[in-house]
Amino acid sequence: MVTGARQEQRSSIEVKRRATVIADGIVDDEIGALPDNSVADTLERIPGVTGDRFKGNANDPTVRGLGPTLNFMTINGREASAAGIDRSVSFQQFPSELISGVMVYKTQRADFLEGGIGGVIDLRTARPLEAKGSRLTGEILGSYFPKDAAIRGRNGLGYRADITYLDQFHTGLGDIGISIGLRRQDSAAPEDYYNGNANFVPCTTAASNGTLVSGTPPQLAAAGAGTNCANATVPRAGVGEKVGQTYYATQSRSFREQQTHELRNAAFGTLEWKPAANLDIDVDAQYSRRNSTENRNVLQITEGLRGISPILIGDGTNGWSKGALIAFSGNSFLEDQLELRERDETYLGVGTTVRWTPGRWTIEGDASLSQSHRTESQRQTRMRSNTRVGYTLDYRNSPLVPAVTFNTFDVTDPANFDNTAATAVYARNRLVTDRHDDIYAGRLDVEYALDGFVTSIKIGGRYSEQHRTLAQNANNDLNTLVPSGGKSVADIINGANLACRTSFPSSSFFPSTGTLMSWATFDDACLFRSFAGSDTALPFPSDRRDPSDINVRERITAFYAMANFAGSVGSTPFSGNIGVRYVQTSISSIGYRLPFVVTIDSAADNYTVSADPTGSIATEHLGGSYRYWLPSANIALDLSFKTKLRLALYRALARTGIESFGAGINLNPTAGPGGADSVTFNATSGNPSLKPLRGWNADASLEFYLARDTVFSAAIYGKWLRGTVISGVAPIPTVISVNTIVDGRSAGLRDYSVNLIAPANDQELRHLYGIELSGSHALTWAPGLLSGLGVIGSLNIAEANFQYPDTSALAAYLDPANLPGLSRYVASGTVYWERAGLSLRANYRYRSAYPKPNGGTNRSVQGAGYLNLSAQYQLSQNVRLKLQAMNVTGTKDVFVKGGSDSIAEVSDSGPQYYAGVQFRF
């Protein structure tokens, strides 16, 4: 019996060969036996697919190097909701053990749901009546995370367990099949984190003595230590500095240690009823919930621009990228920032499908609901150093996380963090995310089988409504401490410093730096009680409305017609499909605008604009719509029994992130001369009129099926696209009413015409070209032990000419970024050996650098490779032992801005190890 990696290999080859479009996939009831934490890991074993990383694990998959926003995800053919900021689904929430198949369609067909220019990813749950007999399977794996074990009071241990049951019943009412799967995972999600801050600025000045922290203001200015670096052409008057080459500095630097806990529960189920041979009714549901907790402990250099004196700047020729600030000194207050961050995320998907096949007809109807909900809260406190501290930060011998030394300051002594200024500490309670995403959908498909060249005609339609809401910035912050309970501010801070001290949690924080291994830290809950008065103080505000809130409805109506055909040209058989899909989309958006009051002084000929504490929050309504025809054609030619050529031409679209449609308005008012006609608002908003990214696509794939265990394929593809969303200016003329006071008279509403500054579609035609190579081979012909070997590999190379201008202060120094998520190279290689019940497997995945914007500014992820190992032993017919090692090389996730050495973020979660047993009856 063939199982494990070889069974997966054969399944993938057969799926690829039978597909009606260019596709890859794994459809096999052994899929859960393979070494995957989630279906995101499973997807990475499909040629051309890799994932974005989140705390050491694969998360958002990319197809052919194209980021998750250009792909479309379905479960059993139905659109899935998302709890993230855009439409990309978090695949970590779907356990691989509860999935029976994954398909990646790389070209389009008229009856596919629209939305994936890169590809359509479909997850399939079990169809119990298609299974062979009843089955009970389960596994329990213990986990060990070394980075978590390095935390005081932790042992790095956790577990994941699952059980699935599948059966069929032959009754007088027809055949009935059920499948039920449950999974629970309880483990840490360890992470050491360094943040260089996304707010980089260009500077040219070098302080003469930037580490000076004592003296009079004139003395500090004369040393250049009392001011921030500047982008100057000559030294500033009164400042002791020199002007040299440009470097990229950042507002702050943070080192974060954290203790984490993550609990995941999932349940999948299907009920299938076949009352007649030509009638099939099934209901399926998927539920998952993830609770995560992070206790964050951050040491921050808060004034990252103050007193900078560069020691080494990259110039592009000295081994460092141009503008990268490799080593420097400066001075700053230090802060110990504590935070309890809690996230609760749920997913629910329910659908029912009825399939009736009377004679030549196939009629299928489907109704579905998909809901996602995420909340995230933050409880934050801080302590600040008594004085500013001189420091030196150096990447030369620690290229990712810098070595940092502090001048005459013991960063491990809590007494040094006892600044008693009323604004030196804070207590904050924030509900930063409350996001709902609901999708209701229904579809009807009708197909009629024919004889002859056209083998069938298929028509259908679909209607869906997506409702996305987001409430954020529901903050209650105590940023200025006040006397309380008969204690002065200084008494409160001094008391908290003594009462809330705690030991540094980790014994192995970024050990490669060799300098900053620990720092003084405090208990966040203790500080919160000391500053706010109680654990329940600072409740979330009752009115949470804010211009950043989202309330969007997107209604989609689609119809299609498609013909399947088959024939031959000479001795060459061919088959394929041709069709067209019509899509109409309407968007309605509701947002908020905070109240302001305009005060006009005619005598002084000026005006001011300020917040209106007595005003009412205004509700704004915006909308948009679009419609497109999406033709498609696919043809497959059997050049020989072992050789297949596929060609595809289609038009596709990828919808804009739904939160870009927000209607909230930030007025961003100004003050200046003139009367009412001169009042200026630099108002910003979302743009519901944004169109999707759309365009023509052409693909060709040559596939060689040399044996059951052997396939080689080479594909080329081109995409000509228009409409990507950039941070441009799309003025939306709008009239707003604002309370206005003229010359001291009573306030009254007055209308003002404003042009909302909003995201825009790029009107230029952009292109993307690529080549994809893949192959797999089992050495069944080799002698002895070598016959157990097998190899699987893929390589995708993509090139594009998209341009996303940077919007930060570095814009003039940086080239525009390419398509977000686009990696030029994506590669995967697997070597396995299976014999006598033992299966060994090594998989290496590589993805080159790719853009990943943050906060409206360009940022990139460094290229990286990840090595995973697994071993399985079939102890008996029903019991299998399993070992897994994930990210055994401890690869870090690194973000850069302004150059390959200009580090913005580093995340280190370390390797993960699993061991356990699986049973199957």
Side-chain angles (χ1 to χ4, degrees):
M1 180 180 178
V2 177
T3 60
R6 185 160 295 178
Q7 172 62 24
E8 175 200 346
Q9 189 176 22
R10 290 183 176 180
S11 168
S12 299
I13 292 172
E14 189 62 22
V15 164
K16 184 180 184 73
R17 187 168 194 166
R18 292 187 176 186
T20 60
V21 297
I22 298 174
D24 287 283
I26 305 171
V27 179
D28 183 67
D29 65 2
E30 282 277 309
I31 194 170
L34 297 166
D36 300 319
N37 281 338
S38 70
V39 75
D41 292 307
T42 304
L43 281 162
E44 284 199 308
R45 292 187 280 105
I46 294 175
V49 180
T50 190
D52 197 13
R53 315 302 295 185
F54 180 72
K55 295 187 177 180
N57 294 306
N59 189 29
D60 297 329
T62 68
V63 179
R64 290 175 164 178
L66 297 176
T69 58
L70 300 185
N71 303 314
F72 191 69
M73 187 266 192
T74 60
I75 299 180
N76 294 329
R78 309 181 188 109
E79 183 177 4
S81 58
I85 193 171
D86 50 32
R87 301 177 190 268
S88 55
V89 176
S90 174
F91 284 79
Q92 280 193 350
Q93 64 189 329
F94 300 112
S96 59
E97 293 84 357
L98 305 187
I99 298 293
S100 65
V102 292
M103 287 295 302
V104 178
Y105 300 103
K106 299 175 182 179
T107 62
Q108 295 289 303
R109 210 171 63 185
D111 60 341
F112 286 176
L113 299 190
E114 71 286 341
I117 283 179
V120 176
I121 301 171
D122 185 36
L123 309 184
R124 300 181 180 180
T125 57
R127 296 289 301 273
L129 291 182
E130 295 178 0
K132 299 175 182 178
S134 60
R135 186 170 73 237
L136 176 67
T137 63
E139 74 171 13
I140 182 165
L141 294 178
S143 61
Y144 176 69
F145 298 168
K147 187 164 287 294
D148 182 62
I151 296 174
R152 176 172 47 85
R154 306 286 287 268
N155 55 22
L157 300 179
Y159 74 91
R160 75 173 193 250
D162 63 82
I163 187 168
T164 60
Y165 172 68
L166 185 149
D167 209 344
Q168 307 86 30
F169 306 92
H170 306 288
T171 73
L173 298 175
D175 294 341
I176 298 175
I178 61 169
S179 67
I180 301 172
L182 303 173
R183 196 205 203 193
R184 182 178 177 87
Q185 179 172 333
D186 191 339
S187 65
E191 181 186 34
D192 288 345
Y193 183 78
Y194 166 70
N195 184 5
N197 194 292
N199 295 318
F200 280 75
V201 297
C203 285
T204 57
T205 57
S208 60
N209 182 13
T211 60
L212 183 67
V213 295
S214 60
T216 64
Q219 289 173 328
L220 293 174
T227 57
N228 290 346
C229 67
N231 189 17
T233 56
V234 296
R236 291 167 288 182
V239 178
E241 62 187 12
K242 296 180 180 179
V243 172
Q245 70 185 94
T246 301
Y247 58 88
Y248 307 145
T250 183
Q251 303 281 353
S252 64
R253 310 264 177 173
S254 300
F255 301 83
R256 187 176 82 207
E257 182 278 334
Q258 60 190 36
Q259 308 102 62
T260 63
H261 178 247
E262 192 160 287
L263 181 64
R264 302 186 188 190
N265 292 292
F268 284 24
T270 300
L271 174 64
E272 189 174 6
W273 177 37
K274 199 164 188 174
N278 64 352
L279 180 61
D280 189 278
I281 303 170
D282 68 81
V283 179
D284 59 87
Q286 307 84 39
Y287 172 82
S288 73
R289 183 171 186 177
R290 180 172 66 178
N291 303 98
S292 62
T293 302
E294 297 178 359
N295 283 286
R296 296 183 169 188
N297 173 22
V298 179
L299 179 71
Q300 184 177 86
I301 301 172
T302 59
E303 299 166 292
L305 304 178
R306 185 180 174 93
I308 287 183
S309 180
I311 299 170
L312 176 62
I313 302 171
D315 63 11
T317 64
N318 61 354
W320 306 94
S321 59
K322 187 176 182 179
L325 187 57
I326 304 303
F328 69 97
S329 60
N331 74 90
S332 170
F333 278 113
L334 302 182
E335 291 183 354
D336 194 351
Q337 300 172 351
L338 295 310
E339 178 181 332
L340 171 65
R341 179 171 294 204
E342 296 179 300
R343 175 184 287 186
D344 186 4
E345 183 173 325
T346 59
Y347 174 85
L348 173 65
V350 180
T352 183
T353 304
V354 178
R355 182 182 176 90
W356 183 38
T357 55
R360 291 176 174 263
W361 293 92
T362 299
I363 303 171
E364 184 172 292
D366 185 90
S368 62
L369 162 67
S370 181
Q371 294 180 323
S372 294
H373 181 212
R374 175 189 291 178
T375 60
E376 186 171 305
S377 62
Q378 300 172 358
R379 187 187 65 196
Q380 303 170 323
T381 58
R382 80 173 174 203
M383 300 291 280
R384 179 180 288 172
S385 61
N386 303 335
T387 64
R388 288 189 170 95
V389 180
Y391 67 91
T392 300
L393 191 143
D394 194 339
Y395 286 98
R396 285 176 292 186
N397 296 315
S398 182
L400 296 181
V401 180
V404 58
T405 54
F406 299 103
N407 299 355
T408 63
F409 184 87
D410 184 0
V411 74
T412 66
D413 186 355
N416 288 333
F417 292 85
D418 199 24
N419 193 314
T420 57
T423 56
V425 301
Y426 59 59
R428 296 171 175 173
N429 193 31
R430 296 179 168 184
L431 181 64
V432 294
T433 301
D434 186 0
R435 177 182 286 114
H436 291 262
D437 193 37
D438 300 338
I439 301 176
Y440 303 86
R443 64 173 174 85
L444 178 66
D445 303 288
V446 179
E447 186 172 13
Y448 184 74
L450 298 168
D451 298 320
F453 172 73
V454 177
T455 58
S456 71
I457 298 291
K458 188 176 184 181
I459 61 173
R462 177 180 181 267
Y463 175 81
S464 70
E465 181 172 320
Q466 182 172 3
H467 186 203
R468 170 69 68 92
T469 62
L470 170 64
Q472 55 185 353
N473 294 332
N475 304 336
N476 197 341
D477 295 350
L478 177 63
N479 293 322
T480 303
L481 205 60
V482 296
S484 177
K487 295 181 180 180
S488 68
V489 168
D491 289 338
I492 295 173
I493 296 175
N494 289 333
N497 183 288
L498 292 171
C500 302
R501 296 177 181 182
T502 186
S503 301
F504 189 76
S506 177
S507 62
S508 181
F509 177 79
F510 277 131
S512 61
T513 65
T515 55
L516 187 62
M517 306 295 289
S518 65
W519 56 86
T521 188
F522 302 87
D523 181 81
D524 178 50
C526 177
L527 289 181
F528 189 89
R529 286 191 299 271
S530 299
F531 298 155
S534 71
D535 288 327
T536 58
L538 305 181
F540 299 137
S542 56
D543 188 350
R544 303 177 184 176
R545 290 176 296 171
D546 186 84
S548 64
D549 290 353
I550 301 294
N551 188 344
V552 175
R553 288 187 185 273
E554 182 181 66
R555 298 173 175 88
I556 301 171
T557 304
F559 300 98
Y560 73 90
M562 184 179 77
N564 295 300
F565 57 84
S568 62
V569 177
S571 60
T572 302
F574 66 85
S575 62
N577 53 78
I578 186 169
V580 64
R581 189 176 186 90
Y582 172 76
V583 180
Q584 178 175 305
T585 303
S586 64
I587 298 148
S588 59
S589 183
I590 300 173
Y592 304 111
R593 174 169 53 86
L594 298 180
F596 284 84
V597 59
V598 177
T599 302
I600 298 173
D601 187 338
S602 300
D605 192 30
N606 63 32
Y607 70 90
T608 59
V609 185
S610 59
D612 185 357
T614 62
S616 300
I617 296 175
T619 302
E620 305 290 343
H621 297 265
L622 297 174
S625 64
Y626 56 82
R627 55 182 62 87
Y628 291 103
W629 292 91
L630 305 175
S632 62
N634 296 270
I635 186 169
L637 297 94
D638 293 313
L639 303 182
S640 71
F641 178 73
K642 295 183 177 181
T643 308
K644 188 183 287 285
L645 173 65
R646 299 182 190 270
L647 303 172
L649 178 66
Y650 56 96
R651 194 178 189 220
L653 59 81
R655 290 191 172 86
T656 298
I658 194 167
E659 293 185 12
S660 298
F661 300 147
I665 297 177
N666 283 293
L667 288 181
N668 302 315
T670 63
D677 294 336
S678 301
V679 174
T680 302
F681 296 97
N682 297 313
T684 60
S685 181
N687 187 355
S689 295
L690 288 170
K691 303 301 185 285
L693 178 66
R694 69 273 181 196
W696 285 95
N697 305 255
D699 295 61
S701 176
L702 186 61
E703 303 162 4
F704 302 93
Y705 298 91
L706 305 180
R708 288 188 65 190
D709 302 304
T710 304
V711 65
F712 297 99
S713 69
I716 58 173
Y717 54 91
K719 301 177 183 293
W720 297 267
L721 307 173
R722 193 188 308 272
T724 184
V725 176
I726 58 176
S727 298
V729 177
I732 303 175
T734 305
V735 175
I736 60 173
S737 298
V738 181
N739 270 331
T740 303
I741 300 173
V742 180
D743 298 334
R745 295 192 291 269
S746 299
L749 288 177
R750 183 184 179 96
D751 290 341
Y752 296 90
S753 296
V754 299
N755 284 321
L756 299 180
I757 301 171
N761 289 111
D762 180 11
Q763 298 303 313
E764 295 293 324
L765 182 66
R766 307 291 182 180
H767 71 253
L768 185 150
Y769 305 130
I771 180 170
E772 182 181 69
L773 306 173
S774 65
S776 63
H777 178 58
L779 278 67
T780 52
W781 49 267
L785 294 177
L786 294 178
S787 64
L789 283 171
V791 293
I792 305 170
S794 67
L795 171 66
N796 189 87
I797 305 173
E799 180 275 331
N801 70 340
F802 287 76
Q803 293 189 1
Y804 286 79
D806 189 74
T807 59
S808 74
L810 296 185
Y813 301 87
L814 305 181
D815 293 330
N818 213 321
L819 193 63
L822 177 65
S823 291
R824 182 174 177 82
Y825 301 103
V826 173
S828 175
T830 298
V831 178
Y832 68 84
W833 183 84
E834 292 184 337
R835 192 176 177 91
L838 178 62
S839 175
L840 306 176
R841 181 187 183 105
N843 173 258
Y844 182 78
R845 304 159 184 172
Y846 173 77
R847 182 181 184 185
S848 64
Y850 58 95
K852 189 175 183 180
N854 178 45
T857 67
N858 291 339
R859 182 187 63 168
S860 296
V861 181
Q862 280 189 355
Y866 299 84
L867 177 63
N868 297 331
L869 304 175
S870 67
Q872 299 181 154
Y873 180 67
Q874 197 74 36
L875 192 64
S876 69
Q877 182 179 356
N878 305 112
V879 180
R880 178 183 295 165
L881 304 180
K882 302 178 69 173
L883 294 172
Q884 298 171 215
M886 315 293 283
N887 189 23
V888 294
T889 56
T891 301
K892 301 175 178 65
D893 301 321
V894 181
F895 299 78
V896 298
K897 181 174 177 60
S900 59
D901 305 304
S902 189
I903 305 297
E905 298 176 37
V906 179
S907 172
D908 181 12
S909 295
Q912 304 174 5
Y913 302 99
Y914 299 87
V917 60
Q918 181 186 56
F919 64 85
R920 181 184 177 103
F921 298 97

